[in-house]
């Protein structure tokens, strides 16, 4: 893939670094273009600083750093972008200049080259008015810090083929595309800029200082505080621009008029770095400021949802990931309760003419949505996708419950013939370790296993075919839920494993019972006891993957379901019958792993696989509970949380 980024100013270098980090190792190339040499030099110097820091922190290997440097090409010549598959213009928020850049770009690139515009609020329709090929042009709105922030808002062109390519391209570049309507400021910046503007009004009115506003907001909902974020992004004047766009939009009103203080502060910081001011506040001030901030946040969030600018599930994830709040704003509204949400919004509207309270709030009927699971359709096939990319799609209890509810709905939907189970990027990194570490008693541990077993049984017992489409790390609970599906298609980057013994536990979602039934007792026991992982080719050779690895793992999963429906292949759950268990087990080098946990594991695997699957799963749950009685579980969990997966735990074997 060859990518171009136009503009080496505030955001272009960050985007270029993020893109090249995603594709350099596979032979990709990224051009960073600007018309000024000094801007290019400054951008490349910033990227060099990122690489140096990543090397020092162990986030980047020497070989990866070399690949990044070799694949990144600074250029003053727009013609160098002629071979690009995708170009993102990130040079300006000035509409006439933006149009001129795109006109020049269209004369250089191929007709099938994707073109994106990084804009905080200008509608796509305004930008593409004079383009030759509007069908390949998209809003691509990234977020700070652009090199590592996952979400990108996308306004589609209406051309299905180009739209699908745009989505795949952004995913390949390590981003999570969020589709929005072509409204002024789209979804996130509608909410964010109004939030910042309200904070500015509060300061301008003398209600609270910048330090107090940020402290009140951050203490309640996180995100660092609106004015602190302005200092980080130097975004005061951009906020003015966005407020004017919303004021002049068909849904605008004088309430959107940007407060004068935003222009007065301009590019200066709200906080003096040497003396940030006293952020202390009393209860009355805290409530006064927070009620105003929440009213604006909730009203604008539900405006976006009610107007179908962004789907509720997408919007909740987007507001958490792009704005940094401790929860998505729809989830925060649920936490505060509809009565509080309604009260603060109605009270604010009474004092601020032109402020719109959306129907969801006035009618006290908030939309229902899944927070971590997205269900889409491809004709008669449903795709159930886990979306927690910030934790590699780890399966916490809430996510498992959402998967179960989605599967039950699809089982009852006569328009659905088959189901694909996957994630936003194909990875399923396992259970939520923080959640497992919080379990207090052996009974709690046993209980979470029974909960997980029920979810997986819902999948396994589906009358419609369910095929997992996987790539990247598929570990622990992620591998276990995949084994409950009726087939598995994997990409070439699959890393498959049951690494639970590294944490001082055994698999608890069926891994001790389904893995031996799927790939054979001795091979499974080796993987379970050592915690080692295997790649895509071995997963297929062992029988874990149903077909050979393929880059288009999602497409092949759909094809596999259709072949089953046509009677060409037969898919089904793991055979629940007992296995023939050997008397003598092969020797295994346990290395640093806990002998106490290994004894529990071996007992569960041997005894459970000699029984029908349901009885074996009951033994697994008891074994998982027994792990809680060991010292080594506590050691393993604490080591993982403190040091990550690469540092072996110093088990005591007791």
């Amino acid at each position: 893939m060859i990518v171009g980024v136009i503009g080496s100013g505030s955001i272009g270098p960050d985007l270029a670094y993020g893109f090249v980090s995603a594709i350099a190792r596979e032979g990709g190339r990224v051009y960073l273009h600007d018309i000024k040499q000094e801007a290019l030099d400054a951008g490349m110097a910033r990227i060099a600083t990122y690489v140096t820091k990543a090397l020092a922190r162990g986030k980047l290997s020497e070989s990866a750093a070399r690949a990044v440097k070799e694949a990144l090409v600074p250029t003053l010549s727009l013609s160098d972008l002629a071979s690009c598959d995708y170009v993102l213009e990130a040079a300006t928020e000035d509409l006439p200049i933006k149009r001129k850049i795109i006109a020049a770009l269209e004369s250089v690139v191929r007709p099938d080259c994707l073109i994106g515009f990084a804009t905080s609020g200008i509608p796509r329709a305004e930008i593409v008015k004079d383009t030759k090929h509007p069908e390949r042009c998209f809003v691509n709105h990234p977020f700070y810090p652009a090199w590592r922030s996952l979400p990108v808002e996308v306004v589609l062109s209406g051309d299905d083929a180009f739209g699908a390519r745009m989505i795949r391209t952004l995913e390949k570049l390590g981003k999570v595309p969020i589709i929005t309507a072509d409204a002024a400021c789209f979804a996130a910046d509608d909410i964010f800029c109004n939030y910042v503007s309200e904070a500015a009004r509060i300061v301008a009115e003398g209600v609270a200082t910048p330090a107090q506003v940020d402290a009140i907001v951050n203490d309640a909902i996180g995100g660092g505080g609106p004015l602190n974020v302005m200092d980080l992004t130097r975004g005061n004047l951009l906020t003015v621009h966005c407020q004017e766009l919303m004021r002049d939009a068909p849904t605008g009103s004088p309430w959107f008029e940007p407060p004068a203080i935003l222009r007065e502060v301009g590019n200066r910081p709200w906080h003096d770095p040497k003396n940030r001011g006293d952020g202390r506040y009393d209860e009355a001030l805290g409530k006064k400021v927070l009620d105003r901030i929440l009213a604006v946040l909730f009203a604008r969030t539900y405006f976006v949802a009610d107007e179908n600018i962004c789907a509720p599930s997408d919007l909740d994830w987007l507001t958490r990931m792009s704005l940094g709040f401790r929860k998505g704003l729809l989830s925060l509204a649920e936490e505060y309760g509809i009565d509080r949400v309604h009260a603060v919004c109605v009270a604010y509207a009474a004092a601020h003419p032109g402020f719109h309270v959306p129907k969801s709030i006035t009618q006290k009927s908030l939309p229902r949505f899944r927070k971590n699971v997205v269900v889409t359709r491809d004709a008669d096939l449903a795709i159930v996708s886990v979306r927690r990319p910030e934790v590699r799609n780890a399966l916490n209890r809430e996510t498992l419950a959402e998967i179960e509810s989605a599967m039950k709905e699809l089982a009852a939907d006569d328009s659905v013939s088959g189901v694909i189970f996957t994630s936003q990027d194909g990875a399923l990194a396992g259970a939520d370790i923080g959640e497992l570490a919080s379990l207090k008693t052996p009974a709690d541990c046993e209980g979470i296993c029974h909960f997980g077993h029920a979810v997986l049984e819902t999948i396994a017992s589906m009358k419609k075919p369910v095929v997992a489409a996987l790539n990247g790390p598929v570990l622990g609970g992620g591998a276990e839920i995949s084994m409950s599906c009726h087939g598995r298609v994997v990409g070439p980057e699959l890393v498959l494993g049951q690494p639970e013994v590294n944490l001082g536990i055994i698999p608890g979602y069926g891994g001790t019972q389904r893995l031996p039934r799927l790939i054979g007792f001795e091979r499974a026991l080796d993987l379970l006891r050592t915690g080692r992982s295997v790649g895509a080719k071995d997963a297929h050779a062992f029988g874990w993957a149903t077909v050979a690895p393929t880059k288009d793992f999602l497409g092949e999963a759909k094809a596999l379901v259709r072949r089953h429906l046509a009677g060409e292949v037969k898919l089904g759950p793991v055979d629940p019958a007992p296995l023939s268990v050997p008397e003598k087990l092969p020797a295994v080098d346990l290395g640093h792993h806990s002998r106490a946990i290994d004894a529990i594991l071996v007992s569960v695997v041997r005894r459970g696989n000699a029984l029908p699957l349901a009885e074996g799963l009951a033994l697994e749950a008891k074994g998982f509970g027994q792990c809680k009685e060991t010292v080594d579980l506590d050691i393993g969990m604490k080591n993982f949380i403190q040091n990550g997966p690469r540092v072996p735990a110093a088990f005591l074997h007791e």
Side-chain angles (χ1 to χ4, degrees), residues 330-546:
L330 284 86
S331 293
L332 274 172
E334 290 179 353
E335 178 184 298
Y336 277 99
I338 184 55
D339 289 339
R340 173 84 187 274
V341 171
H342 181 271
V344 297
C345 290
V346 170
Y348 184 92
H352 297 84
F355 178 74
H356 174 67
V357 181
K359 186 167 64 174
S360 287
I361 296 175
T362 59
Q363 296 183 355
K364 293 189 176 183
S365 179
L366 303 184
R368 297 182 64 187
F369 65 99
R370 294 187 178 95
K371 299 176 177 64
N372 303 320
V373 172
V374 179
V375 180
T376 55
R377 292 289 293 270
D378 181 356
D380 60 332
L381 301 185
I383 299 95
V384 177
S385 183
V386 177
R387 184 175 60 198
R388 299 185 77 208
E390 66 278 13
V391 289
R392 297 312 303 265
N393 306 306
L395 301 171
N396 61 1
R397 191 182 185 101
E398 180 179 56
T399 304
L400 287 169
E402 290 184 355
I403 292 169
E404 182 176 39
S405 72
M407 291 293 182
K408 287 181 176 179
E409 285 181 15
L410 296 172
D413 187 341
D414 291 339
S415 70
V416 174
S417 300
V419 179
I420 308 299
F421 175 68
T422 187
S423 73
Q424 181 270 328
D425 58 0
L428 290 168
D432 189 302
I433 302 305
E435 195 170 75
L436 293 182
S438 69
L439 298 172
K440 302 296 185 185
T441 67
D444 292 339
C445 292
E446 193 171 339
I448 201 167
C449 290
H450 289 309
F451 168 75
H453 290 161
V455 174
L456 271 59
E457 177 57 25
T458 296
I459 298 171
S461 62
M462 290 265 288
K463 302 303 181 186
K464 301 170 183 179
V466 183
V467 171
L470 310 160
N471 200 29
V474 177
L475 305 169
E480 290 173 293
I481 195 169
S482 302
M483 287 188 284
S484 72
C485 297
H486 305 156
R488 286 150 297 281
V489 178
V490 303
E493 297 173 9
L494 177 80
V495 178
L496 172 68
Q498 299 289 163
E500 287 86 351
V501 290
N502 295 321
L503 283 76
I505 57 175
I506 68 171
Y509 289 160
T512 66
Q513 306 303 306
R514 285 192 174 91
L515 187 62
R517 287 171 166 83
L518 197 58
I519 69 171
F521 185 88
E522 292 189 2
R523 181 176 284 140
L525 189 59
D526 175 72
L527 296 181
L528 291 166
R529 294 179 74 187
T530 63
R532 70 181 181 89
S533 58
V534 299
K537 289 182 179 179
D538 281 343
H540 178 236
F542 293 172
W544 195 92
T546 309

Side-chain angles (χ1 to χ4, degrees), residues 1 4 74 83 106 117 131 184 227 278 288 298 343 355 374 379 403 413 566 586 598 623:
M1 183 188 296
S83 61
E106 282 205 299
F117 334 113
T131 55
L227 304 179
D278 187 355
K288 186 174 186 179
F298 290 148
F355 178 74
V374 179
I403 292 169
D413 187 341
D598 183 68

Side-chain angles (χ1 to χ4, degrees), residues 93-370:
E93 280 286 331
D94 185 296
L95 180 57
I97 296 175
K98 216 172 190 67
R99 287 175 174 166
K100 286 181 181 178
I101 292 171
I102 292 163
L105 178 64
E106 282 205 299
S107 69
V108 169
V109 298
R110 304 186 310 268
D112 66 339
C113 174
L114 299 169
I115 296 177
F117 334 113
T119 174
S120 292
I122 305 173
R124 175 187 173 278
E126 293 297 317
I127 300 171
V128 302
K129 272 186 176 177
D130 300 320
T131 55
K132 295 177 183 176
H133 298 285
E135 69 278 1
R136 48 89 170 267
C137 297
F138 304 85
V139 166
N140 292 166
H141 176 215
F143 296 91
Y144 177 87
W147 65 271
R148 63 179 170 85
S149 182
L150 291 171
V152 172
E153 287 180 318
V154 178
V155 177
L156 295 172
S157 68
D159 185 291
D160 291 345
F162 274 109
R165 274 188 57 210
M166 185 73 263
I167 297 301
R168 289 196 303 270
T169 296
L170 288 171
E171 289 174 342
K172 183 71 174 176
L173 293 169
K175 300 301 183 181
V176 179
I178 297 294
I179 307 301
T180 77
D182 196 21
C185 299
F186 320 116
D189 270 1
D190 178 321
I191 299 162
F192 178 71
C193 292
N194 282 298
Y195 159 66
V196 169
S197 295
E198 186 59 24
R201 289 187 198 100
I202 290 169
V203 172
E205 293 167 14
V207 175
T209 66
Q212 288 172 322
V213 170
D214 281 350
I216 291 165
V217 174
N218 190 60
D219 288 350
I221 61 175
L227 304 179
N228 183 52
V229 174
M230 285 293 94
D231 287 354
L232 290 172
T233 60
R234 298 180 182 178
N236 293 320
L237 298 180
L238 181 58
T239 300
V240 169
H241 169 66
C242 289
Q243 291 301 122
E244 290 173 340
L245 287 169
M246 288 185 281
R247 178 198 62 197
D248 298 337
T251 55
S253 75
W255 177 78
F256 292 96
E257 183 69 32
I261 193 173
L262 286 170
R263 285 193 180 90
E264 293 165 9
V265 175
N267 289 323
R268 293 182 290 109
W270 290 89
H271 301 282
D272 182 344
K274 296 180 180 179
N275 180 19
R276 291 183 60 84
D278 187 355
R280 291 176 294 179
Y281 57 91
D282 59 24
E283 184 177 347
L285 180 60
K287 184 178 187 307
K288 186 174 186 179
V289 170
L290 186 62
D291 280 0
R292 287 179 62 169
I293 291 291
L294 290 179
V296 171
L297 284 174
F298 290 148
R300 296 316 300 168
T301 296
Y302 284 103
F303 169 82
V304 169
D306 285 1
E307 296 297 316
N308 296 314
I309 294 169
C310 187
S313 178
D314 292 348
L315 184 59
D316 196 59
W317 183 82
L318 175 65
T319 53
R320 178 167 59 86
M321 295 303 299
S322 65
L323 307 185
F325 299 127
R326 59 180 173 82
K327 286 186 176 181
L329 286 173
L330 284 86
S331 293
L332 274 172
E334 290 179 353
E335 178 184 298
Y336 277 99
I338 184 55
D339 289 339
R340 173 84 187 274
V341 171
H342 181 271
V344 297
C345 290
V346 170
Y348 184 92
H352 297 84
F355 178 74
H356 174 67
V357 181
K359 186 167 64 174
S360 287
I361 296 175
T362 59
Q363 296 183 355
K364 293 189 176 183
S365 179
L366 303 184
R368 297 182 64 187
F369 65 99
R370 294 187 178 95

